[in-house]
Amino acid sequence: MPPLTKKPDAPENILKRLITMIDELAAVMSEEEKLIETRNAAQHAELLKRKQRLTIDYRSSMKVIEAQPDMLKITSSDLRQKARTASRKLAEMTERNARFLRGAIIASEQLAQSVVQAIKDEYLPKNSYVNPHQAMFALGSYSPSCKPITVNRTA
């Protein structure tokens, strides 16, 4: 029995799979924006795993094409044009997705900083005596509800 050998895929098939993968990756990025806007963390986690798998597959497909640059010359001009269009679409979607994610990250950071600042404003000592109920948290500050303690050291 002859050994099983894997035949290399035809260049057209590799390019068609790449175009399909690019379209799917662009759709995932578009869906990701919707899930982030609706704050659906559970579905976003699943979608992120899918996006990561597609990105890894895309990179490996691009390495195959880079390793065989003559492969593109063999394919039809129509298929090459479709691949160029898909790659432009992916570049635009990637840039849009990156801007959207940067905006979401900045908004989350600003929200966290606002919460931290509100907590600091509430519990850190102030130079004035506006909140006597919180004076117990500040060492060495005067509070009208706390009597000072004196120690007689002469005895």
Side-chain angles (χ1 to χ4, degrees), residues 80-93:
R80 285 193 306 253
Q81 184 60 35
K82 286 181 182 177
R84 277 190 211 102
T85 305
S87 65
R88 285 188 202 115
K89 177 183 172 184
L90 180 63
E92 290 170 6
M93 282 301 296

Side-chain angles (χ1 to χ4, degrees), residues 40-137:
N40 192 339
Q43 286 184 349
H44 182 253
E46 295 172 17
L47 192 71
L48 186 60
K49 288 177 186 176
R50 185 171 165 219
K51 179 181 168 185
Q52 290 169 343
R53 280 194 306 270
L54 282 170
T55 303
I56 290 168
D57 292 344
Y58 172 76
R59 285 182 185 162
S60 64
S61 296
M62 289 305 294
K63 286 180 183 177
V64 168
I65 292 173
E66 287 174 3
Q68 303 170 6
D70 295 334
M71 179 175 47
L72 293 176
K73 294 176 185 173
I74 299 170
T75 60
S76 67
S77 62
D78 183 45
L79 193 58
R80 285 193 306 253
Q81 184 60 35
K82 286 181 182 177
R84 277 190 211 102
T85 305
S87 65
R88 285 188 202 115
K89 177 183 172 184
L90 180 63
E92 290 170 6
M93 282 301 296
T94 302
E95 182 63 31
R96 180 178 161 191
N97 190 261
R99 279 193 314 264
F100 184 82
L101 291 175
R102 260 187 250 120
I105 289 169
I106 289 170
S108 296
E109 287 175 349
Q110 288 176 347
L111 176 65
Q113 288 173 355
S114 297
V115 169
V116 167
Q117 189 60 42
I119 292 170
K120 281 182 180 179
D121 290 345
E122 184 68 26
Y123 288 106
L124 287 181
K126 297 177 180 75
N127 292 335
S128 63
Y129 305 120
V130 176
N131 192 352
H133 301 291
Q134 296 298 325
M136 64 188 130
F137 296 118

